[in-house]
Amino acid sequence: MNIHTHNFIDAERWTGRAFFGGWDRTEAGTINVTDPANGTVLASVGLGGPADIARAAAEARAAQKAWARMLGAERARILNKAADLLEANGTELAQWIMKESGSIHQKAMIEIEHGALFIRHAATLATAPSGMFLPGMDDRENYARRVPHGVVGVISPFNFPLVLSVRSIAAALAVGNAVVHKPDPRTPISGGIIISRIFEEAGLPAGVLQIVPGGADAGEALCSDPNVAMISFTGSARGGAKVGEIAGRNLKRVQLELGGKNALIILDDADPDVAASNAAWGAFLHQGQICMATGLVLIDEKIEQAVAERLVAKAAHLPVGDPSSNQVALGPIISDAQAAAIQAIVDDAVAKGARLLVGGRGEGRFYPATVLSGVTPGMLAFEEEIFGPVACIVSFRSDEEAIALANRSDYGLAAGVISADVGRAMAVGQELEVGQLHINDQTVNGGPYAPFGGRGKSGNGTRVGGPADIEEFTQWQWVSVKSAATPYPF
Ligand code: NAD
């Protein structure tokens, strides 16, 4: 890919820079962006440190009031224009997502399509009713209205860098907040530059959106910055705990969208072909690097063999390699360290008695679709989020046992139940302690109209998307109006 042949993304504009409402150099220097498939340096962007975050937060705060005062219809127009630009330039922008995050084309296009949908959904919030009249307590009028928090800090991960950034940014902006966004330094283009460019071209007033790629130090600075009122964090449970701690200490509102160990429960009356297809998609899409990936495939022992055989056949036929060839189903794992972590979990399972049915040995960052059976509590493969293409089969003998196994997890993000009997699947599903429940579907589901989030280690009970956005990105203000001031006893 020659970055200079791309028109919209226009690398001359941002090389070595971050977006402070305009493109500028950062105090912390620059960082190279590499392709995880082959180590090629794709670009260089400005790296943000604490001083750069402080600058961005101060500039965002200065710009926020005028943005909030702007007519909602005008904010909506700008957001919809940004969505138009994302779609219109989708083919070009998807190339960056593929290169930077090791995505196959199909997954990159899902990001473009969903990114635009999230922005358009957010635009509707800008013109939604935002308050209510309250019952009278005396002769004054009382009303309550939703007002923006001020500056929202957004922190996002590498795996779906565009969607997971834009879903919070667009919702926060739509209702009148300014935003300081810190994408993962490994994916600053898909998670940052693309978003800056679409909003820049859409006519967003300068300063309202600041995008500064950086590491944990920049993220922590955002969580303690006095100009930031709320943090919207998407990432690991470990990162989220740290973010929650710092934001809490600084009395900021904090939204935590964290990891998952998501169970797909396949009951004994399920069609084995369809069930295996669901398990393969849920476990292997984007190399399993998805918070809602199917982390446990719980199968009734009566059909375990039938489903496992089909799942193995699918896994064995999924080519792994550089997505730019357009010939692969699985691209690279994001880093060598993450590839090694996947291998350690698979090795631990085998050492503790699980059976390796296919895959199980990576080559560098390329890890094949892998199926383990006989996975049981006590194995890392049962307990931990793997973030790799590993389907962990756990067998059960009754619906009750399946529920108990699924609820053992510390996480509580998503679950799926597959059965020929919808009522039975729903009866199982309603016992599961998760934020998203999918009947007759696997666990990887998301979109702009649904509230998305988890319980336990998957988050702090907050949600992003759909009806949750107004709740999360605004707060109540009570306004009382007397026709004239009246005296008090003293
Ligand atoms: P991570 O927590 O290491 O990093 C995520 C982001 O947080 C990055 O921008 C990183 O720079 C930043 N960060 C890390 N430490 C920080 C700190 N101390 N203070 C402030 N910011 C900090 O996560 P990761 O491993 O890169 O991403 C994968 C994780 O994200 C998985 O656990 C996955 O399940 C989760 N995830 C959750 C969702 C969701 O919506 N629930 C979506 C996608 C990914």
Side-chain angles (χ1 to χ4, degrees):
M1 182 170 58
N2 177 356
I3 54 176
H4 301 291
T5 62
H6 287 79
N7 301 325
F8 182 76
I9 195 73
D10 188 10
E12 308 291 351
R13 194 184 286 254
W14 49 262
T15 294
R17 294 177 163 84
F19 189 67
F20 293 97
W23 299 100
D24 202 357
R25 300 206 174 272
T26 50
E27 288 196 16
T30 60
I31 184 169
N32 283 342
V33 184
T34 55
D35 181 338
N38 50 36
T40 308
V41 175
L42 300 170
S44 156
V45 300
L47 176 70
D52 302 298
I53 292 291
R55 170 187 169 186
E59 290 184 11
R61 186 160 181 191
Q64 187 263 330
K65 286 272 192 298
W67 172 244
R69 274 196 301 271
M70 187 183 276
L71 283 181
E74 181 58 12
R75 289 202 302 272
R77 192 191 63 73
I78 292 170
L79 284 154
N80 281 320
K81 180 91 193 293
D84 292 345
L85 288 162
L86 184 59
E87 283 174 336
N89 296 286
T91 308
E92 174 191 330
L93 300 179
Q95 294 295 318
W96 286 97
I97 301 174
M98 290 173 68
K99 281 279 176 195
E100 188 186 42
S101 66
S103 307
I104 60 171
H105 185 253
Q106 196 180 2
K107 180 268 188 184
M109 289 311 292
I110 291 174
E111 287 220 59
I112 298 287
E113 191 188 316
H114 278 224
L117 285 172
F118 270 104
I119 300 173
R120 290 194 200 289
H121 163 68
T124 67
L125 306 178
T127 54
S130 60
M132 61 176 76
F133 270 90
L134 305 174
M137 291 174 261
D138 48 31
D139 62 355
R140 78 185 80 194
E141 281 193 341
N142 293 279
Y143 59 94
R145 62 179 175 182
R146 303 295 301 196
V147 295
H149 299 304
V151 177
V152 174
V154 176
I155 301 175
S156 64
F158 70 85
N159 61 329
F160 270 70
L162 175 64
V163 166
L164 297 175
S165 304
V166 95
R167 68 178 184 178
S168 291
I169 292 171
L173 289 176
V175 292
N177 299 285
V179 170
V180 178
H181 172 48
K182 188 211 79 61
D184 190 295
R186 292 169 293 188
T187 49
I189 299 174
S190 324
I193 303 283
I194 289 177
I195 300 166
S196 310
R197 287 289 297 125
I198 60 173
F199 279 105
E200 182 180 34
E201 290 295 320
L204 186 74
V208 171
L209 174 62
Q210 312 259 334
I211 301 192
V212 185
D217 62 334
E220 293 189 9
L222 193 57
C223 297
S224 60
D225 193 287
N227 287 315
V228 173
M230 172 188 174
I231 297 292
S232 174
F233 175 87
T234 305
S236 64
R238 198 177 53 180
K242 188 75 186 160
V243 163
E245 183 189 322
I246 301 171
R249 209 184 307 132
N250 289 278
L251 303 180
K252 296 188 195 311
R253 184 185 183 94
V254 62
Q255 178 187 46
L256 300 175
E257 307 300 335
L258 311 177
K261 183 69 178 172
N262 313 292
L264 172 61
I265 299 178
I266 299 169
L267 301 184
D268 59 5
D269 57 0
D271 175 330
D273 286 312
V274 175
S277 168
N278 274 261
W281 183 258
F284 304 142
L285 179 65
H286 197 43
Q287 300 83 263
Q289 299 172 117
I290 307 182
C291 56
M292 7 156 208
T294 297
L296 291 176
V297 186
L298 297 160
I299 314 177
D300 190 298
E301 64 174 9
K302 293 192 270 310
I303 61 163
E304 184 192 339
Q305 198 183 339
V307 178
E309 279 169 11
R310 288 160 172 80
L311 182 56
V312 167
K314 284 178 187 299
H317 284 99
L318 291 175
V320 188
D322 187 336
S324 62
S325 68
N326 281 324
Q327 301 293 320
V328 301
L330 273 67
I333 301 298
I334 193 70
S335 66
D336 293 337
Q338 180 55 24
I342 296 165
Q343 191 64 59
I345 291 176
V346 170
D347 292 346
D348 172 81
V350 172
K352 289 176 180 161
R355 285 178 301 286
L356 182 61
L357 302 184
V358 67
R361 180 102 356 234
E363 277 183 42
R365 291 184 189 159
F366 296 107
Y367 206 91
T370 295
V371 181
L372 291 167
S373 72
V375 173
T376 55
M379 297 177 184
L380 295 174
F382 185 95
E383 314 289 349
E384 296 203 353
E385 180 182 46
I386 302 178
F387 240 53
V390 184
C392 300
I393 296 178
V394 180
S395 90
F396 63 84
R397 281 179 296 272
S398 67
D399 294 6
E400 292 69 32
E401 189 185 3
I403 293 164
L405 284 164
N407 282 341
R408 278 182 69 109
S409 175
D410 294 337
Y411 291 98
L413 191 58
V417 186
I418 298 187
S419 167
D421 179 342
V422 173
R424 183 178 163 206
M426 287 185 72
V428 169
Q430 70 188 19
E431 299 301 320
L432 302 176
E433 293 153 8
V434 291
Q436 283 87 238
L437 171 65
H438 305 296
I439 301 299
N440 280 330
D441 202 357
Q442 47 72 45
T443 55
V444 179
N445 278 288
Y449 313 124
F452 187 92
R455 304 163 65 144
K457 266 174 74 176
S458 295
N460 59 344
T462 55
R463 297 291 183 267
V464 62
D469 283 338
I470 294 274
E471 285 164 33
E472 297 292 339
F473 293 105
T474 64
Q475 58 185 277
W476 284 115
Q477 182 183 51
W478 170 31
V479 181
S480 78
V481 183
K482 281 181 171 179
S483 54
T486 50
Y488 277 87
F490 58 85

